[in-house]
Amino acid sequence: MEDWPGYFESVLGKGARETLLAALDSFAKEGFAEGLSVDIAAREGRDTLELLRQGWRVVATDNHPDAFSFLWSRVPEALKPRLTAVEVDFVEMQVPDCDLVNASFALPFCKPEVFPELWDRIVAAIRPGGRFSGQFFWDRDSWASLPGRTHHSREDVLSLLDGFEIEVMNEEERDDPPELRSPKHWQLFHVVAKKR
Ligand SMILES: C[S@@+](CC[C@H](N)C(=O)[O-])C[C@H]1O[C@@H](n2cnc3c(N)ncnc32)[C@H](O)[C@@H]1O
């Protein structure tokens, strides 16, 4: 997973994450659209593009400069004014007040010593009635043993989401097919939560 440019290319063209689509669907059912979202670790922008398409303004962050060259080239001209892309590490990232924080497959890459402050900034930024969507990686996920990664138990996740109404919390546990270059065991939570 350190070959991010290779990874960016391999996922180009994939659709938005289910957790983001579920969050947008919930906003739409409430008659709310076109809010301000922060797409944390947006990478090549599969979720950012969907947010823009649905009329949202997006602050997309990532610490990898190549992420944004892939992202900007995919954004239609008419939608570019709604996108702000910020190259920043989780350590320094400020989270503007917003309606939605989306962190798809992002937070496990935050160092454990940085995570509590980052999570506090995320929670503080989401307005009451706003949402968080994203993934938390669980303890038995293969990457839990790598240095500098943040994984959570179910109890940890429930505690982080204290102050939210949990709308989706789906567990997934599976093995990659063995023919993959570096097959791994996945164990994660897919979450959508509405701030009280
Ligand atoms: C697995 S990708 C997920 C990207 C995208 N959100 C998605 O759902 O496909 C993880 C992203 O986290 C970014 N990342 C890794 N470490 C980071 C850090 N310390 N600060 C900010 N972004 C980081 C990587 O550059 C990469 O784009």
Side-chain angles (χ1 to χ4, degrees):
M1 287 302 284
E2 296 310 319
D3 177 21
W4 288 121
Y7 190 54
F8 300 146
E9 280 187 59
S10 73
V11 295
L12 274 184
K14 295 215 168 156
R17 301 286 186 184
E18 293 293 325
T19 35
L20 172 66
L21 294 175
L24 291 176
D25 195 43
S26 296
F27 278 117
K29 284 184 177 136
E30 294 166 352
F32 184 85
E34 307 193 357
L36 177 64
S37 59
V38 181
D39 190 10
I40 294 182
R43 200 181 57 195
E44 87 309 332
R46 61 198 288 179
D47 286 351
T48 293
L49 286 173
E50 182 64 27
L51 284 157
L52 291 168
R53 267 191 221 113
Q54 294 207 22
W56 285 63
R57 284 169 295 132
V58 187
V59 176
T61 74
D62 206 287
N63 75 337
H64 200 297
D66 288 356
F68 296 136
S69 49
F70 285 101
L71 170 58
W72 279 114
S73 63
R74 302 171 71 215
V75 178
E77 279 307 314
L79 301 182
K80 283 185 177 166
R82 293 205 210 129
L83 172 61
T84 305
V86 187
E87 189 186 316
V88 66
D89 194 278
F90 296 133
V91 182
E92 289 133 17
M93 192 180 75
Q94 297 306 312
V95 188
D97 291 349
C98 61
D99 303 292
L100 168 67
V101 169
N102 181 61
S104 294
F105 292 80
L107 299 178
F109 298 97
C110 182
K111 290 189 180 127
E113 63 272 25
V114 172
F115 183 85
E117 259 193 62
L118 174 63
W119 183 250
D120 285 349
R121 276 180 259 142
I122 289 172
V123 173
I126 301 172
R127 64 150 166 95
R131 287 184 170 81
F132 168 84
S133 51
Q135 281 68 30
F136 296 95
F137 282 28
W138 208 347
D139 297 338
R140 281 204 301 274
D141 190 280
S142 311
W143 289 340
S145 59
L146 297 177
R149 298 295 175 89
T150 301
H151 288 233
H152 297 94
S153 66
R154 176 200 308 280
E155 291 69 31
D156 294 337
V157 175
L158 291 174
S159 160
L160 291 170
L161 294 174
D162 189 33
F164 287 78
E165 179 193 330
I166 297 174
E167 297 179 321
V168 174
M169 186 162 160
N170 294 335
E171 299 170 19
E172 182 179 4
E173 183 161 16
R174 66 178 169 84
D175 287 304
D176 275 337
E179 62 271 21
L180 280 190
R181 190 169 49 124
S182 310
K184 77 176 280 267
H185 184 73
W186 295 86
Q187 193 196 26
L188 64 158
F189 298 100
H190 302 276
V191 168
V192 179
K194 179 176 181 175
K195 193 170 168 188
R196 292 197 186 93

